[in-house]
Amino acid sequence: MKRLPFNACDYRCEHCLATADCAVFQKLQEPSLQDFIGSNNGNDSAAVLREIRESFRETEARIKQKARELGIDLDGISGGSSAEEIRETCMRTMNDPLYKRSYDFTMQTHEFLQAAERVVDGDAKDYFDDIAWHHTVVVAKVCRTVGWNSHEEGAVDAKNSGAVAVKSLTICIMAFDYLASRHPEISEECERLSAAAKQIKEEIRERIGPRRAA
C-alpha cells in the first residue's frame, strides 16, 4: 500500500479513486466492528463502546510500533509546543483572512442548505449532497493550511490540506452552478456562494502554489 492519506483525504471514501492503495480504507473494510454492531442491533451500547475502545487501542499500538521502526520520537513531537505556543497558533489561525473567509463561507453555505433542502429534488439532490459534505471540509482543511508551522513536515501537511480544500471548493462550485441552472428560486444565492468559493480557491492556490493545489 502507498502512504497513508491523512490530511490529503476528504473522508468521502465512496467517491475516492485511491481506496485500493489506502491503508485506512482497507482497515475500515474489516468486518469485525461493523458485524459486531449489527449483531447487537444497538441494544448493548456498553459492549459496542468496549469494541470501539479496543479498536482505538489497537490503532494506537500500530502507530507507535511504526514510529519506533522509523525512528520517530512521538513523545518529543507531542511535547514540542507549549500551551502558550498553541494559543498563539490558534489565535493566528482564527485571525487569518483566508481562514475567516472560509469560515464565513461554511456558515453561509450551512444556512443555504437548510433553506434549500425543501426546494431541491430529483437528480439535483446528488449535487445538494455534494455541497452538504464538502462545505464542512473547506474550513477544516483551510484551518490546517494556515495553522501549520513552516518546518518541512508542517509545510507538506499544509499543502496537502490546501489541495483538499481546493478540491472540495471545486466540487461545491460545480454543484452550486448546477443548482442555479435548475432552480431559479435559489439561483441568486447559489451564484453568490459559487463566487465566494472561487475567491477562496484562488487565495489558497496563491498561498500554497497553483501546481500543488490544482
Side-chain angles (χ1 to χ4, degrees):
M1 293 182 187
K2 297 180 181 178
R3 63 182 177 82
L4 297 177
F6 295 122
N7 291 304
C9 176
D10 65 7
Y11 322 116
R12 208 175 189 191
C13 298
E14 70 273 19
H15 289 258
C16 183
L17 301 178
T19 52
D21 298 317
C22 177
V24 174
F25 178 80
Q26 298 302 324
K27 178 62 179 175
L28 290 173
Q29 299 315 295
E30 294 182 6
S32 57
L33 181 58
Q34 199 167 25
D35 290 348
F36 181 85
I37 294 173
S39 65
N40 278 273
N41 295 319
N43 293 326
D44 190 351
S45 59
V48 171
L49 288 174
R50 285 196 299 271
E51 183 72 9
I52 292 172
R53 188 180 298 113
E54 183 58 32
S55 178
F56 276 120
R57 286 173 178 167
E58 179 184 353
T59 301
E60 180 185 12
R62 290 187 179 186
I63 291 172
K64 289 181 177 179
Q65 176 62 33
K66 179 57 68 174
R68 285 193 294 269
E69 292 173 2
L70 298 174
I72 298 173
D73 180 8
L74 290 180
D75 293 332
I77 293 173
S78 63
S81 297
S82 66
E84 182 60 30
E85 288 172 331
I86 293 172
R87 282 194 295 271
E88 289 178 0
T89 298
C90 183
M91 291 301 298
R92 184 174 67 249
T93 298
M94 289 190 295
N95 289 325
D96 188 288
L98 176 56
Y99 173 79
K100 287 183 175 180
R101 255 186 289 279
S102 300
Y103 178 83
D104 288 344
F105 168 79
T106 295
M107 297 306 295
Q108 291 167 17
T109 300
H110 180 70
E111 293 177 2
F112 162 80
L113 291 169
Q114 290 181 314
E117 187 172 13
R118 61 180 178 271
V119 174
V120 176
D121 56 12
D123 293 341
K125 189 65 168 58
D126 288 339
Y127 291 87
F128 180 92
D129 291 342
D130 281 343
I131 296 171
W133 181 275
H134 285 281
H135 84 288
T136 59
V137 175
V138 172
V139 68
K141 294 300 183 179
V142 168
C143 179
R144 296 191 69 88
T145 300
V146 303
W148 271 103
N149 295 325
S150 59
H151 60 78
E152 182 177 356
E153 183 179 350
V156 171
D157 186 284
K159 290 167 186 173
N160 286 340
S161 296
V164 175
V166 165
K167 174 185 173 183
S168 288
L169 286 162
T170 300
I171 292 172
C172 285
I173 291 165
M174 291 189 296
F176 280 129
D177 292 348
Y178 181 88
L179 293 179
S181 69
R182 292 300 183 95
H183 293 282
E185 61 269 48
I186 58 173
S187 62
E188 184 176 348
E189 186 66 0
C190 285
E191 290 168 0
R192 186 183 71 81
L193 290 170
S194 178
K198 290 174 183 176
Q199 179 184 358
I200 296 168
K201 181 176 171 179
E202 290 307 311
E203 288 184 23
I204 295 172
R205 284 175 161 167
E206 291 175 4
R207 183 77 64 96
I208 68 173
R211 288 181 297 176
R212 299 184 183 90

